[in-house]
Structure formats: C-alpha cells, structure tokens
Amino acid sequence: MSESQKPVIGIIGGTGDLGSGLAKGWAKAGYPVVIGSRSREKAEALAADLGHGVRGDDNVGAARAADIIVLAVPFASHDTTIAEIKAEAQGKILVDAAVPLVPPKVSTVQLPQDGSAAKIAQALLGEGVRVVSAFHNVGAAKLHKGGKADCDVLVFSDDKEARDQVIVLAGVVATRGVGGGVLANSAAAEALTSVLIWINRQYKVPGAGVRITGLDDTVQV
Ligand SMILES: NC(=O)c1ccc[n+]([C@@H]2O[C@H](COP(=O)([O-])OP(=O)(O)OC[C@H]3O[C@@H](n4cnc5c(N)ncnc54)[C@H](OP(=O)(O)O)[C@@H]3O)[C@@H](O)[C@H]2O)c1
C-alpha cells in the first residue's frame, strides 16, 4: 500500500449495527471496505445493500483482505472471534470496538478482571498485532443517519503510529478522533459506555455521546 492509497478496512462482525454503520461511512468516503460475518452469504447480501463498493466475506476472509481490521462483535464472542482471525491479523492494526457489557445490567460498569476488552485482545493476539481501541462511545444509530456522527471518538493504543491512523479514520465517520493515550486507558472509554447507556435511559435520549472540550476544533491528533 503506497502512502497515498487508502487502507482496506475489514470489519469483523460487519453485519451488525456498529460495523455496518462504520462500513457505510468509510465506504462513502472512498475507503475500500470488506464486511465480515460468520456467513459469507449474509455479508455479501448486506454489502450489496450498503453499496459504495463494500464487499462481503466471511470473517477470516475479511481479515485476510484488510490492511486495518475492525473488531465489532459482542463481547461474549470477542475472544473466540479473535482466535479465528488471529493468523490473518499478524502484522496489521486491529481496532477493537467491543465493549465488555454484561447483560442484563448494561448500564452498570462491569469491566473484566483482565482490565478491558482491549487488553484482552492484545494479550490474545500477541505483539505481532498493533491493537487500537476505539468507537466504544459512538451510538451506531448516529452512523446510520448519514453524515458524520455528532461526537468525538477516543482512540487508544500503545503504538502511536497506529493510534494516529485510527484517529484519522475516526474523523471520517464522526466529528473528530481524539487520542486518549495507551491501551490501558481504554478501560475508561469501555466503562463510559455503561454511563452513556444510563444517561440515554434517564434522560430519554437516543444517543448521548462524548465531546472533549478545551481542544481547538480543528485538532485531529
Ligand atoms: N451498537 C452500538 O451502538 C455500539 C457502539 C459502540 C460499541 N459497540 C460495541 O461494538 C460491538 C458490536 O456491537 P453491535 O451492536 O454492532 O453488535 P451486534 O449487532 O449485536 O453484533 C454484531 C455482529 O456480531 C456477530 N455476532 C453476533 N453473535 C456472535 C457470536 N456469538 N459469535 C460470533 N459473531 C457473532 C453478528 O454477525 P454475523 O451473524 O453476521 O456473524 C452480528 O451482526 C459490541 O462489542 C458493542 O458493545 C456497539
């Protein structure tokens, strides 16, 4: 991939609410997108609906085709899905969007013993994969509205270059990507999702989000 080329984005669980919303936004902006599913036929059908050149494949095929992999599956299937795509992820960036919600109490913070979904992903994938953690606080409905989601996206990684690449991708589908530091800090955004769910319920709004103040509006990194 040359520097001027856009990376191929492979979205694992790309048939879901979050994955398909991200796919739509990136594809509309000219990024090559492959959505993955446990069923290639299901992914191909949704890809045709999404248009903008989106392709569908099974999850392993989507990971293989990707320069940057986005993991958008429920936390209950996080570890098993990572095991399935681990070989294809080596040498690549993997963006983990999974929030470790524990139904039915999804408006209560219940982080895993290992700290966060992102830390678990890095441990399972090994050092050959640059794990970035992002999109936990973006309501999928905002992505499906068309246009950019009205919120900032906090982006975490131990690898600055990978983090910066995902900050740019976040700014394509939402107001702005904002670096939040190392992967360990992902726990804060993962926990914040339960707070936002609680706010949605309490104030009867569909999509509370995060906006970082004190930054110039044009800040991207
Ligand atoms: N929805 C949001 O607003 C939002 C916002 C921020 C973060 N997140 C996080 O992003 C992740 C995806 O959320 P979502 O709402 O898009 O989830 P979802 O629609 O419930 O599921 C996403 C996809 O995961 C696959 N999947 C479901 N169960 C699976 C299993 N047992 N094993 C393997 N794959 C399975 C399905 O794809 P196939 O059936 O095609 O395989 C499904 O389309 C979650 O971890 C969530 O916490 C969601």
Side-chain angles (χ1 to χ4, degrees):
M1 186 180 64
S2 76
E3 270 191 32
S4 59
Q5 271 180 331
K6 289 186 165 75
V8 177
I9 304 172
I11 306 179
I12 311 307
T15 57
D17 291 340
L18 182 70
S20 60
L22 291 171
K24 197 188 289 184
W26 284 322
K28 273 171 79 175
Y31 285 81
V33 175
V34 184
I35 56 169
S37 166
R38 289 167 292 181
S39 155
R40 182 159 59 86
E41 292 71 24
K42 179 180 172 185
E44 285 174 341
L46 181 63
D49 285 348
L50 290 172
H52 299 285
V54 175
R55 293 190 291 119
D57 206 332
D58 58 33
N59 282 329
V60 172
R64 185 178 303 135
D67 298 308
I68 297 179
I69 299 167
V70 177
L71 184 61
V73 296
F75 184 62
S77 51
H78 180 256
D79 297 4
T80 51
T81 306
I82 285 175
E84 284 167 20
I85 61 163
K86 179 175 178 176
E88 302 299 340
Q90 297 304 310
K92 299 178 181 178
I93 293 172
L94 181 137
V95 185
D96 195 351
V99 180
L101 300 175
V102 186
K105 293 191 171 177
V106 293
S107 61
T108 299
V109 176
Q110 300 176 79
L111 290 178
Q113 276 194 341
D114 292 329
S116 64
K119 293 292 277 185
I120 292 170
Q122 186 70 76
L124 292 173
L125 288 161
E127 295 308 314
V129 180
R130 294 186 286 166
V131 174
V132 179
S133 174
F135 302 110
H136 313 93
N137 307 138
V138 184
K142 289 184 185 177
L143 296 165
H144 285 280
K145 268 191 193 164
K148 291 185 178 192
D150 176 24
C151 60
D152 287 343
V153 177
L154 296 173
V155 184
F156 310 91
S157 180
D158 294 339
D159 186 297
K160 182 182 183 315
E161 200 266 332
R163 187 169 66 224
D164 288 349
Q165 282 198 52
V166 177
I167 287 171
V168 171
L169 288 182
V172 173
V173 295
T175 304
R176 185 174 57 174
V178 177
V182 295
L183 206 58
N185 292 357
S186 174
E190 294 177 30
L192 190 55
T193 301
S194 289
V195 179
L196 293 172
I197 293 170
W198 191 93
I199 291 170
N200 285 341
R201 289 174 176 173
Q202 176 70 16
Y203 296 97
K204 299 187 177 18
V205 295
V210 171
R211 180 79 208 207
I212 304 299
T213 61
L215 291 176
D216 186 291
D217 275 353
T218 59
V219 165
Q220 268 293 340
V221 175

